[in-house]
Amino acid sequence: MHEDLLDEGETVSLNRVARLMAVERIQGWPRPKRRGFGRVASGRPAGVKNLLERDFTAQEPERKWVTDITEIATLEGKLFLCVVLDLYSKLVIGWSMHHRQDRQMVIRAVEMAIWQRQGDWSVILHSDRGSQFTSADYQRFLNRNTLVCSMSAVGHCGDNAACEGFFGQLKRECVAHQSYRTRDEARADLFDYIERFHNPRMRRRVARQDLKFSALFKPSVEMGSNPDAALPEKVRKDAKFFLPHHPTLDDIILAGTLEEQAETMPIGVIGPVFSTLLK
């Protein structure tokens, strides 16, 4: 709710949104409690390990992907959804739906993600040990497309928590309060949620992060067009002594003078990012 208000141009804090929602008795959809039943997982293919080790952060796109399958109930029967998420942007970059959860459905979802790739470097693709992911056809498909297979440990759903979290959010916000008569009706609703709600929301979130990051490196009014003018004289001399070219802030850090001159530097030079380096 807070993010949507910010995207619409409203200036409001998170606490105020929470307070107003509490006054009006508005709350998010609660997660339904269900009792699961264990099943025997397939063994990992030879040479496949858990490369993520529950590290679901990525500094760049197309470095770490996760995939999984969930089922959607309809009056016509079950519909299975397979998705591929990029851990950098949390975008659903690949998806497929079918009334059977076979290896071809998984391959189609991964193939959709591959179509949207911008580079040809290796990408880690993490999944659980379902028979669709351990199949020989799936493993050959990954090898042909420079995808490095990573798999969870047995009985550890937390190893693929990023994908499980997306499915939980999907069912809370979209599926749990619907009664689908046919599989086609469910397909249309899932498509609408992924492509018209979730992915646009994730793109806006990434755009906000990029704006915050670029603002940290924007020159301040005090620095103007010449960053050297705002630096103390000793810092300029030391940096140029070590590095004859035009010194950047990274060069100054290497010169070893930033810490001792930090208190005399203007705030616009150091900024919140570089202040963390001095802790």
Side-chain angles (χ1 to χ4, degrees):
M1 180 69 73
H2 180 242
E3 287 187 3
D4 292 339
L5 290 173
L6 293 179
D7 292 334
E8 293 177 4
E10 299 291 340
T11 303
V12 62
S13 68
L14 181 62
N15 291 335
R16 185 181 182 188
V17 172
R19 185 176 67 254
L20 294 177
M21 289 179 64
V23 171
E24 299 296 331
R25 297 184 179 180
I26 301 174
Q27 64 179 6
W29 294 116
R31 178 181 299 176
K33 295 182 179 180
R34 296 180 181 178
R35 298 183 65 179
F37 298 91
R39 58 187 178 88
V40 178
S42 304
R44 286 178 182 159
V48 175
K49 300 179 180 179
N50 186 350
L51 301 177
L52 290 188
E53 295 292 345
R54 301 195 181 189
D55 180 11
F56 302 117
T57 60
Q59 302 302 319
E60 298 178 18
E62 299 181 6
R63 296 296 181 181
K64 297 178 183 178
W65 294 351
V66 292
T67 182
D68 204 353
I69 303 172
T70 192
E71 65 178 51
I72 309 297
T74 73
L75 298 180
E76 192 178 21
K78 292 180 179 179
L79 176 69
F80 295 96
L81 168 68
C82 178
V83 301
V84 179
L85 270 73
D86 190 316
L87 290 181
Y88 172 76
S89 60
K90 307 302 186 293
L91 286 169
V92 178
I93 56 176
W95 54 266
S96 66
M97 290 175 268
H98 200 257
H99 64 275
R100 290 185 303 176
Q101 52 172 341
D102 55 12
R103 61 185 181 278
Q104 296 302 325
M105 181 187 70
V106 173
I107 291 175
R108 286 194 299 270
V110 179
E111 192 172 32
M112 181 178 178
I114 292 172
W115 289 342
Q116 302 185 62
R117 287 177 68 178
Q118 302 296 319
D120 56 356
W121 50 80
S122 297
V123 180
I124 296 176
L125 179 55
H126 185 84
S127 67
D128 60 19
R129 294 195 192 184
S131 59
Q132 302 85 3
F133 303 109
T134 59
S135 65
D137 291 342
Y138 176 78
Q139 293 297 320
R140 283 194 295 267
F141 179 78
L142 298 189
N143 293 332
R144 289 197 304 267
N145 292 278
T146 63
L147 297 175
V148 181
C149 185
S150 171
M151 285 190 172
S152 304
V154 176
H156 289 74
C157 60
D159 288 350
N160 201 13
C163 213
E164 296 288 353
F166 167 76
F167 284 147
Q169 186 175 357
L170 165 71
K171 293 182 178 180
R172 288 196 308 273
E173 297 179 343
C174 177
V175 176
H177 306 277
Q178 299 286 344
S179 179
Y180 301 116
R181 292 172 295 176
T182 64
R183 293 190 181 98
D184 288 340
E185 184 179 339
R187 286 190 183 97
D189 198 33
L190 294 174
F191 173 85
D192 188 74
Y193 178 85
I194 292 173
E195 296 295 350
R196 299 184 60 187
F197 179 73
H198 175 79
N199 280 352
R201 179 171 60 181
M202 294 301 105
R203 291 189 182 98
R204 292 193 297 268
R205 183 175 296 177
V206 172
R208 283 196 299 269
Q209 292 174 350
D210 291 343
L211 286 175
K212 290 180 181 178
F213 182 78
S214 61
L216 296 176
F217 296 94
K218 185 177 180 180
S220 66
V221 176
E222 190 170 355
M223 290 171 61
S225 59
N226 182 12
D228 282 350
L231 299 177
E233 182 66 22
K234 186 177 185 300
V235 177
R236 295 201 300 270
K237 289 182 178 179
D238 290 347
K240 291 180 180 179
F241 175 78
F242 287 101
L243 300 161
H245 59 275
H246 180 76
T248 63
L249 285 173
D250 288 335
D251 296 334
I252 296 170
I253 295 173
L254 292 175
T257 59
L258 179 59
E259 185 168 2
E260 68 179 72
Q261 296 293 335
E263 295 183 357
T264 61
M265 282 187 178
I267 295 177
V269 176
I270 300 177
V273 170
F274 294 101
S275 64
T276 60
L277 298 175
L278 306 179
K279 294 181 180 179

